Amino acid sequence: MNEKIAISIVTYNSRHIFKVLDNLKAELADSSEYEIHIFDNHSDDDYIKQLKSYEPFIILHHYGENKGFGFGHNLIFQQLSTKYGIVFNPDVLVTKDALDKMVERIKENKELAMVCPKVLNTDGTTQYLVRQKLDVFDYMLRFVPFGFVKRLFDKRLSYYECRDLPDDQTSFIKMGSGCFMLIDVEKYKEIGGFDERFFMYFEDNDLCLRFGQAGYKILYTPFEPVTHIYEKAAHKSFSSFKVFMQSMYKFFNKWGWRFF
């Protein structure tokens, strides 16, 4: 088995990828234990040319059409024999120290299928992306533009967003964010990886729930944070919102509709 840690990044004209690769190059340039795979979902020619300029630091994989987030990660991990891998968004910044410590955590506990870090905004505030439950009301509440409505349901949102997770200890969680997931690749393959019916959105929740069904645990660590350059595309773009709604429909059809 390959002892390297595979970092898998799926791109499609992703605007922050070069900042991300510069960060990884600065952190990992002298490291031999990490291997960076870029799966490109048919981006523009100029974009591909710029990606190629990072070779051989990265291993670039091309695909002739955009078949989504989970599809790309599945193809990467299916062809690798690494024990551990990282589902890594093209808009995430991380330090080598954080990576190393998270890898140690998953190695120490054979029950773990995944480790998820605390996720920060670029200003250092917390992005509350951990979920213990999903329902339609709470998901749609996050799209409401009126602050007074969110304040009215603040306690409910706080519970939904798991804001009470401690900062002084690790915790077992039900669902982490797909922006960064350190996975046991064997366990990932065992449950079939991402469900490719989800083009984008909800595939991370679905993966976590299936890990739970298989009897595996997911660890949340506040001690090794990552920074997520979060743009909330589904809040700003109608096309992204449409994909979000389609994925939400597929998710609740699969796992059962829970409205409130």
Side-chain angles (χ1 to χ4, degrees), residues 2 35 52 60 67 82 109 128 150 165 171-172 181 203:
N2 188 344
E35 190 173 78
K52 286 183 175 179
L60 185 57
K67 298 194 70 173
T82 53
N109 188 337
Y128 295 104
K150 291 184 177 179
L165 280 172
S171 308
F172 290 117
M181 293 173 155
E203 68 284 285

Side-chain angles (χ1 to χ4, degrees), residues 149-163:
V149 175
K150 291 184 177 179
R151 286 192 294 273
L152 188 65
F153 292 99
D154 185 64
K155 284 186 179 179
R156 183 181 178 93
L157 273 175
S158 178
Y159 176 76
Y160 169 73
E161 295 180 338
C162 299
R163 295 183 205 164

Side-chain angles (χ1 to χ4, degrees), residues 141-194:
L141 186 61
R142 297 172 72 240
F143 287 91
V144 174
F146 306 112
F148 75 91
V149 175
K150 291 184 177 179
R151 286 192 294 273
L152 188 65
F153 292 99
D154 185 64
K155 284 186 179 179
R156 183 181 178 93
L157 273 175
S158 178
Y159 176 76
Y160 169 73
E161 295 180 338
C162 299
R163 295 183 205 164
D164 61 347
L165 280 172
D167 272 337
D168 58 354
Q169 65 184 58
T170 59
S171 308
F172 290 117
I173 60 172
K174 196 170 184 180
M175 289 172 276
S177 169
C179 74
F180 186 105
M181 293 173 155
L182 170 59
I183 59 170
D184 183 309
V185 177
E186 289 180 348
K187 295 180 176 70
Y188 175 90
K189 291 177 179 178
E190 177 189 322
I191 66 165
F194 284 111

Side-chain angles (χ1 to χ4, degrees), residues 4-259:
K4 288 183 178 291
I5 313 297
I7 296 175
S8 173
I9 304 176
V10 174
T11 63
Y12 175 70
N13 295 316
S14 308
R15 61 180 294 196
H16 297 295
I17 185 62
F18 304 111
K19 181 176 182 179
V20 168
L21 290 178
D22 287 342
N23 167 251
L24 287 173
K25 204 168 185 178
E27 292 289 332
L28 305 179
D30 298 325
S31 170
S32 60
E33 66 264 44
Y34 293 94
E35 190 173 78
I36 300 167
H37 293 262
I38 307 291
F39 185 94
D40 187 80
N41 275 318
H42 200 48
S43 295
D44 297 340
D45 290 344
D46 287 344
Y47 183 90
I48 295 294
K49 184 178 180 180
Q50 195 169 350
L51 279 178
K52 286 183 175 179
S53 71
Y54 285 85
E55 294 178 321
F57 176 68
I58 65 168
I59 300 166
L60 185 57
H61 308 256
H62 298 281
Y63 202 75
E65 59 180 306
N66 188 351
K67 298 194 70 173
F69 178 89
F71 176 85
H73 288 297
N74 282 349
L75 273 189
I76 290 295
F77 290 123
Q78 282 166 10
Q79 61 186 275
L80 297 179
S81 60
T82 53
K83 172 64 176 167
Y84 303 108
I86 302 171
V87 174
F88 198 106
N89 255 32
D91 56 2
V92 165
L93 306 175
V94 68
T95 65
K96 184 178 186 299
D97 182 62
L99 290 174
D100 291 346
K101 288 177 178 175
M102 280 187 275
V103 170
E104 284 306 309
R105 291 187 187 280
I106 202 168
K107 286 181 176 180
E108 288 169 359
N109 188 337
K110 301 304 180 186
E111 291 182 299
L112 292 182
M114 182 187 297
V115 174
C116 293
K118 183 176 186 177
V119 180
L120 304 177
N121 292 300
T122 52
D123 64 1
T125 56
T126 301
Q127 285 180 21
Y128 295 104
L129 302 179
V130 175
R131 301 286 180 263
Q132 290 297 92
K133 72 177 184 71
L134 294 180
D135 59 66
V136 176
F137 179 82
D138 289 316
Y139 249 116
M140 299 317 296
L141 186 61
R142 297 172 72 240
F143 287 91
V144 174
F146 306 112
F148 75 91
V149 175
K150 291 184 177 179
R151 286 192 294 273
L152 188 65
F153 292 99
D154 185 64
K155 284 186 179 179
R156 183 181 178 93
L157 273 175
S158 178
Y159 176 76
Y160 169 73
E161 295 180 338
C162 299
R163 295 183 205 164
D164 61 347
L165 280 172
D167 272 337
D168 58 354
Q169 65 184 58
T170 59
S171 308
F172 290 117
I173 60 172
K174 196 170 184 180
M175 289 172 276
S177 169
C179 74
F180 186 105
M181 293 173 155
L182 170 59
I183 59 170
D184 183 309
V185 177
E186 289 180 348
K187 295 180 176 70
Y188 175 90
K189 291 177 179 178
E190 177 189 322
I191 66 165
F194 284 111
D195 184 337
E196 294 173 14
R197 289 175 292 180
F198 299 98
F199 179 82
M200 185 169 62
Y201 305 116
F202 289 90
E203 68 284 285
D204 50 356
N205 303 125
D206 175 79
L207 182 74
C208 291
L209 290 178
R210 285 187 289 117
F211 273 138
Q213 274 188 337
Y216 298 124
K217 293 184 176 181
I218 299 170
L219 186 75
Y220 167 81
T221 171
F223 301 113
E224 294 87 35
V226 303
T227 298
H228 184 203
I229 311 170
Y230 194 34
E231 297 200 336
K232 297 186 178 180
H235 293 251
K236 300 175 182 178
S237 159
F238 177 75
S239 60
S240 294
F241 180 71
K242 183 179 177 182
V243 173
F244 175 89
M245 294 301 293
Q246 290 169 340
S247 292
M248 184 170 76
Y249 179 80
K250 292 174 184 175
F251 178 86
F252 286 112
N253 262 359
K254 181 174 181 178
W255 291 98
W257 284 85
R258 179 174 178 166
F259 290 94

